[in-house]
Amino acid sequence: MAQNENAVTRMKAYIVAHLQEPITARDVARAAGYSQYHAARIFKEETGLAPFEYIRQQRLTASAHALRHGGCRVLDVALDFVFDSHEGFTRAFAKGFGILPKKYANHPVPDGWHIPRHYLDRSKKPEVANMSESSVVFVQIMERPARKLILKRGRTATHYFEYCAEVGCGDNDNSAPWDVLCGIKEAMYEPVGLWLPENMRPTGTGVYAHGVEVPADYAGQIPEGFDVIDLEPCKLMIFQGEPYDDEFFRDAIGACTGQIRKFNPEVYGYQYAYEMAPKMQFAPMGWRGYIEMHPVKSMA
């Protein structure tokens, strides 16, 4: 086992040292001191990635750093990191980070997108990964217009499970109000879990609720037993965690929310503004990671 780990360490070191040069399977195997077949097999066993996937991961991460800090053109970065074309690099970057490289490069001050170095590191199997090391994938600032929030309040609930115990369960392990909210065709986005600030919480109601945002001019029916809150325009800071195995969703969500609590928005010129909107969470889905949204305002 130690011998394999050492071989993989040598392969990784070779790859990182030669990111801006063509790298073949033979080159990687030679660094390990094994045949190509054996080198590829132990690399996949140790990292969860084939060598070529790891090479692509490292090149994309390094290219993101170059775009942000080097003042380089997208084409130059693509060629520097051995991508065949501007188009191929753009597709790979957008697929990996969810943003076009040109858009990312045009934000010298990271006011919208921040890509941590662990973004593409999805190689650990969830059942053996140390979830406490999970990191936030990216942070995005999004503008929200004036809108209404249709919600079903709880009485004393502070989190999802308490809320479901109060309002009842619906289909597919959702709350009963969630099923109603999914039926509102005018909804701007999908339903969300809410942590309501004090100024949006009447006496005798809980912190946690389920709701959905609709346009400010919404004139449709309000479901029986539901309330409506008018929300002013604001910015939302959106945190998205790494994809995870649904079987281990509690560990994954706990690790991600732990990272969010440690995040300081003032480093990027913002402060939380919970008086403007609730903190919200999308339904946790392993394939997209945990997503949480916090209202913020500029400190400028």
Side-chain angles (χ1 to χ4, degrees):
M1 181 66 72
Q3 189 175 10
N4 286 349
E5 290 178 355
N6 290 336
V8 171
T9 297
R10 293 195 298 273
M11 286 187 275
K12 285 183 175 180
Y14 179 88
I15 289 169
V16 171
H18 296 82
L19 284 179
Q20 294 182 279
E21 305 167 22
I23 301 174
T24 67
R26 183 178 180 182
D27 294 330
V28 176
R30 186 181 294 118
Y34 292 131
S35 68
Q36 292 183 35
Y37 171 79
H38 188 64
R41 184 176 64 80
I42 64 171
F43 194 94
K44 182 68 176 286
E45 288 177 352
E46 293 292 326
T47 68
L49 298 172
F52 79 89
E53 291 175 316
Y54 183 81
I55 293 169
R56 174 62 62 92
Q57 174 198 89
Q58 293 301 310
R59 282 176 172 160
L60 284 174
T61 302
S63 70
H65 185 274
L67 287 170
R68 174 56 51 82
H69 301 287
C72 304
R73 297 187 308 162
V74 173
L75 177 59
D76 292 337
V77 171
L79 297 177
D80 285 345
F81 289 97
V82 203
F83 287 86
D84 293 335
S85 65
H86 182 289
E87 292 77 14
F89 173 67
T90 296
R91 285 195 300 271
F93 195 96
K95 182 178 179 180
F97 295 121
I99 183 174
L100 294 174
K102 185 175 182 180
K103 182 176 180 181
Y104 183 71
N106 287 337
H107 285 76
V109 177
D111 59 347
W113 292 83
H114 324 296
I115 301 178
R117 62 188 178 88
H118 292 304
Y119 175 72
L120 294 175
D121 188 7
R122 302 175 182 173
S123 58
K124 290 183 178 179
K125 296 180 180 179
E127 61 269 27
V128 299
N130 181 352
M131 298 306 298
S132 65
E133 295 178 356
S134 178
S135 60
V136 172
V137 173
F138 63 79
V139 182
Q140 178 187 4
I141 301 295
M142 179 176 289
E143 297 279 352
R144 276 287 207 268
R147 62 222 185 271
K148 295 181 185 294
L149 175 67
I150 299 175
L151 72 159
K152 175 64 175 179
R153 300 182 185 275
R155 297 185 301 276
T156 61
T158 60
H159 57 73
Y160 175 81
F161 296 104
E162 291 180 348
Y163 180 76
C164 288
E166 289 185 3
V167 302
C169 294
D171 299 329
N172 301 317
D173 296 325
N174 295 318
S175 71
W178 191 274
D179 294 338
V180 176
L181 294 166
C182 287
I184 298 177
K185 296 182 174 56
E186 297 85 352
M188 300 169 65
Y189 313 99
E190 63 186 272
V192 290
L194 308 162
W195 283 272
L196 294 158
E198 188 173 353
N199 63 312
M200 297 181 188
R201 204 167 66 240
T203 301
T205 62
V207 173
Y208 189 84
H210 281 170
V212 73
E213 293 168 294
V214 296
D217 60 357
Y218 176 76
Q221 183 178 1
I222 304 301
E224 184 177 356
F226 286 66
D227 287 350
V228 179
I229 298 175
D230 290 313
L231 297 177
E232 59 185 296
C234 71
K235 290 182 172 67
L236 291 179
M237 182 170 282
I238 303 177
F239 298 87
Q240 183 170 1
E242 295 174 320
Y244 57 86
D245 189 321
D246 285 313
E247 183 180 352
F248 304 95
F249 76 97
R250 291 199 186 191
D251 289 337
I253 292 173
C256 186
T257 55
Q259 295 295 324
I260 294 171
R261 284 194 294 270
K262 292 188 290 185
F263 185 86
N264 180 10
E266 295 184 6
V267 173
Y268 300 102
Y270 292 94
Q271 61 187 36
Y272 292 125
Y274 295 114
E275 72 280 1
M276 301 179 70
K279 181 178 79 172
M280 297 181 278
Q281 64 175 177
F282 285 131
M285 298 181 187
W287 63 268
R288 68 180 179 184
Y290 177 72
I291 302 174
E292 197 169 279
M293 300 176 288
H294 296 243
V296 294
K297 58 186 176 184
S298 175
M299 296 173 63

